Amino acid sequence: MMGTSMSRTNKAGLRDLNLRNFAAGIVSALLAVTGPPAIILEAAANGNFTTSQTILWMFSCYVVGGIYSILIPWYYKMPIVGAHSITGVAFLATVTAHFSYSEMIGAYIISALLMLAVGVFGIFSKLLEYVPKEIIAVMLAGMITRYMVNFVNSMTELPLIGGVALAVFLIFSKWKTKIPPMVAGIAMGTVLLFLTQPLEGAVLGSSPVMPALQMPTFNPLSFLSVSIPLALLILSNDAAVGLGALEQNDYRPPINKIISLSGIFSVLTSFFGGQSANVAGMMSAICADPEAGPKEKRYMGAVVSGVIILFFGLFAWKLVPLIQVLPKSFTSLLVGFALLGVFGNSLSTGFSNPKMKLSAALTFVIALSNITLLNISAPIWSLLIGTLVARFIEK
């Protein structure tokens, strides 16, 4: 009887697949597999991770994220897309140099457990209310400003590739097509790179890296400097955006359960070297949009997205060596296109409240400074000082 029931469910799911949710799933997956891998490679390079550790990071985020994106929407029949956090990776690129690999693994686990606790005890909204969303947004803007500066500098080093890719990005931004501008810009830049610049030593990986449990080291400083900001970024920039998009499109997602599941899947990811596997923000918004077809069938777009990023993760051992030989200026282009929308949204949100000018400005410059004081990194200082000023000075 159980087998018959599962068979009927599978057939019903396949019947719900159509061109519109299939296209939404592809676009959603492209957001995950274009710009973010370049940011992971930069973060891994900053931390002097080995090639195997870098491949495991990519493998765990995409494989576990893909599984999340297949199982959860299938069960709830909602377009709840799973992936890892692009803003989380951008943040990690600023701190991997300050901690050992095992300490980073420990910080990922604690961050995941924090998300699990937030979901289990239903304190998601209260947590985000205490640390104002403007402070979190402007902290993120300060952190990724240097990526934007590198993005502009890379335009001067690769004027043809960068100029044409930027023009395509702007055109797609104006036309507001189904293809996100980031995907269009990165795709054009990649095509031009392969047409105009031979990549010396560009080979696909030939030796598979088998998944292996990574041993954590728990450090109070990494808890303060990595775990807390990472959890806040995922909750505010991914979970809040994704769940908000679902509610905006008349879904009623079980918020606490989704947050808890993000914590559980992120714990699993952490033990294999990645930072998270959580409900995705913009990817869920794409699959929940009316453009993805009839409301009751849009969940299949999330499933399609999950299948694609799952396979991307399974073949990370082949793809990482290829991505690693890309010119540094081109990698800066990819990262810039991936974060340009995030940067704009963060600035807009962070400085949107005229009553929080001082706290927002302090948060921004402290996050931008990239200082480390008492072994605590700039993002946590910016969050702390910005929140205190907002709460007790500006009220």
Side-chain angles (χ1 to χ4, degrees):
M1 291 294 292
M2 180 67 74
T4 303
S5 176
M6 285 297 295
S7 176
R8 288 176 180 171
T9 302
N10 291 337
K11 288 180 180 178
L14 291 175
R15 282 199 300 268
D16 287 341
L17 185 64
N18 56 51
L19 284 176
R20 294 177 71 180
N21 57 35
F22 184 75
I26 291 176
V27 172
S28 169
L30 285 173
L31 285 177
V33 303
T34 47
I39 307 175
I40 289 178
L41 292 186
E42 177 163 349
N46 292 346
N48 293 317
F49 292 1
T50 66
T51 299
S52 294
Q53 290 168 342
T54 305
I55 291 172
L56 278 175
W57 186 350
M58 199 91 73
F59 168 89
S60 58
C61 284
Y62 285 95
V63 169
V64 181
I67 293 171
Y68 182 109
S69 195
I70 294 170
L71 296 182
I72 306 306
W74 192 283
Y75 180 80
Y76 287 108
K77 295 297 184 283
M78 296 183 194
I80 304 166
V81 183
H84 70 90
S85 171
I86 183 174
T87 54
V89 175
F91 158 68
L92 291 176
T94 68
V95 296
T96 50
H98 304 296
F99 299 96
S100 69
Y101 177 76
S102 63
E103 287 174 334
M104 293 301 295
I105 299 298
Y108 301 158
I109 293 171
I110 298 298
S111 174
L113 292 174
L114 286 174
M115 285 192 286
L116 177 58
V118 166
V120 169
F121 294 107
I123 57 175
F124 178 54
S125 58
K126 293 179 181 178
L127 180 65
L128 292 184
E129 282 174 8
Y130 189 77
V131 181
K133 65 178 182 180
E134 293 88 352
I135 297 301
I136 297 175
V138 83
M139 176 204 74
L140 181 60
M143 277 173 15
I144 61 180
T145 295
R146 70 181 185 89
Y147 293 110
M148 296 298 100
V149 173
N150 291 340
F151 173 66
V152 174
N153 289 335
S154 67
M155 291 281 181
T156 63
E157 298 173 18
L158 296 171
L160 174 63
I161 296 172
V164 173
L166 180 60
V168 169
F169 177 91
L170 295 174
I171 290 170
F172 275 76
S173 297
K174 180 175 176 59
W175 285 351
K176 300 187 183 303
T177 65
K178 295 179 182 178
I179 301 175
M182 181 196 90
V183 173
I186 288 176
M188 177 56 69
T190 303
V191 169
L192 287 175
L193 177 74
F194 282 98
L195 288 177
T196 61
Q197 297 200 13
L199 300 180
E200 297 180 3
V203 294
L204 292 172
S206 56
S207 300
V209 175
M210 300 305 294
L213 288 174
Q214 305 300 295
M215 291 299 102
T217 299
F218 298 101
N219 181 339
L221 288 175
S222 65
F223 168 73
L224 287 173
S225 294
V226 181
S227 301
I228 292 176
L230 179 60
L232 284 173
L233 285 171
I234 293 172
L235 291 171
S236 59
N237 289 283
D238 293 280
V241 172
L243 293 170
L246 288 166
E247 292 187 333
Q248 183 180 338
N249 286 285
D250 297 324
Y251 292 98
R252 294 294 176 264
I255 293 176
N256 290 333
K257 289 183 180 179
I258 296 302
I259 299 297
S260 299
L261 286 166
S262 294
I264 292 169
F265 276 78
S266 293
V267 169
L268 178 60
T269 305
S270 300
F271 276 107
F272 288 94
Q275 88 284 2
S276 68
N278 51 269
V279 56
M282 286 307 300
M283 295 168 69
S284 294
I286 289 170
C287 291
D289 192 83
E291 289 292 327
K295 178 186 171 185
E296 68 277 5
K297 298 183 179 182
R298 292 176 202 164
Y299 75 94
M300 282 303 294
V303 174
V304 169
S305 179
V307 171
I308 294 172
I309 66 175
L310 170 64
F311 275 95
F312 183 87
L314 289 173
F315 289 96
W317 59 276
K318 277 190 170 292
L319 298 171
V320 167
L322 175 62
I323 301 173
Q324 284 178 324
V325 300
L326 294 174
K328 186 169 179 58
S329 53
F330 182 72
T331 302
S332 296
L333 272 179
L334 294 182
V335 173
F337 280 122
L339 293 176
L340 192 55
V342 174
F343 183 64
N345 290 336
S346 298
L347 284 177
S348 176
T349 300
F351 291 100
S352 62
N353 189 341
K355 296 181 180 179
M356 295 177 61
K357 291 180 181 179
L358 179 59
S359 56
L362 281 172
T363 302
F364 181 80
V365 296
I366 294 170
L368 177 62
S369 70
N370 202 28
I371 61 166
T372 299
L373 186 61
L374 301 176
N375 288 319
I376 299 174
S377 60
I380 197 66
W381 283 117
S382 68
L383 274 180
L384 177 62
I385 294 172
T387 300
L388 291 175
V389 172
R391 288 287 177 191
F392 298 106
I393 304 299
E394 296 175 319
K395 298 183 179 179

